[in-house]
Amino acid sequence: MTEFPRKYCFCIANLRAVKFIAIASMCLRALAIASYIYGLIFINDNHTVALLMEITIGVYAVYMIFDVLLYIGSSKMSKPLLIFWLVWAGIMVGLCIAAIVFQLGSISGIFMAIISILLQVWAIFTVSGAVKEIDTFNRIGVTLENKV
């Protein structure tokens, strides 16, 4: 009897949960980009702040690319794309830890970084469960065509 991996997101399969995580992440990052663009257009009056906002928009755009890859990987049951995202997520957790170290004076910055780390680690567990599900499907002969 083949045992399926643990479900990390309520009672749904990890592959399905990863799709929801990717969509939610894309929507949140799109909102963040929109708010920074709004800030650049209507609020900004300082060149240094504008530069930081532009850099942040670029970082969020890169994040969105990885979220799209995560969605494609979960939709197509592509283990390499999911593993690629796992490596990226690990790097992002490291950067969030560095952000905590550099923002010791900002309680709100530390709080946001800790929340980000916790959500990222949960997503990492869910994606690793999805990779294990793909392995299980491959072992029992389930393909994308006959999975649905």
Side-chain angles (χ1 to χ4, degrees), residues 4-131:
F4 279 88
R6 178 182 175 155
K7 295 177 182 177
Y8 292 99
C9 188
F10 308 110
C11 294
I12 62 175
N14 291 319
L15 273 169
R16 182 168 291 184
V18 169
K19 289 177 191 175
F20 290 123
I21 290 171
I23 290 170
S25 295
M26 284 186 276
C27 291
L28 290 173
R29 293 191 210 292
L31 278 171
I33 289 171
S35 69
Y36 279 109
I37 290 173
Y38 177 85
L40 277 174
I41 294 172
F42 296 109
I43 299 172
N44 179 38
D45 58 352
N46 185 337
H47 180 67
T48 305
V49 172
L51 181 62
L52 287 173
M53 291 175 119
E54 290 167 358
I55 291 171
T56 305
I57 289 169
V59 168
Y60 278 129
V62 171
Y63 276 138
M64 279 190 71
I65 292 169
F66 280 92
D67 292 335
V68 169
L69 291 177
L70 178 63
Y71 183 80
I72 292 169
S74 63
S75 296
K76 302 291 184 185
M77 292 177 51
S78 172
K79 190 174 166 183
L81 280 178
L82 296 179
I83 291 172
F84 184 65
W85 185 88
L86 284 170
V87 171
W88 171 256
I91 292 168
M92 291 302 100
V93 168
L95 290 176
C96 284
I97 292 170
I100 290 174
V101 171
F102 291 116
Q103 295 179 2
L104 288 178
S106 169
I107 296 298
S108 63
I110 291 172
F111 180 73
M112 292 295 288
I114 289 172
I115 295 296
S116 179
I117 289 170
L118 292 174
L119 289 173
Q120 195 74 19
V121 168
W122 171 64
I124 288 171
F125 279 121
T126 307
V127 173
S128 66
V131 169

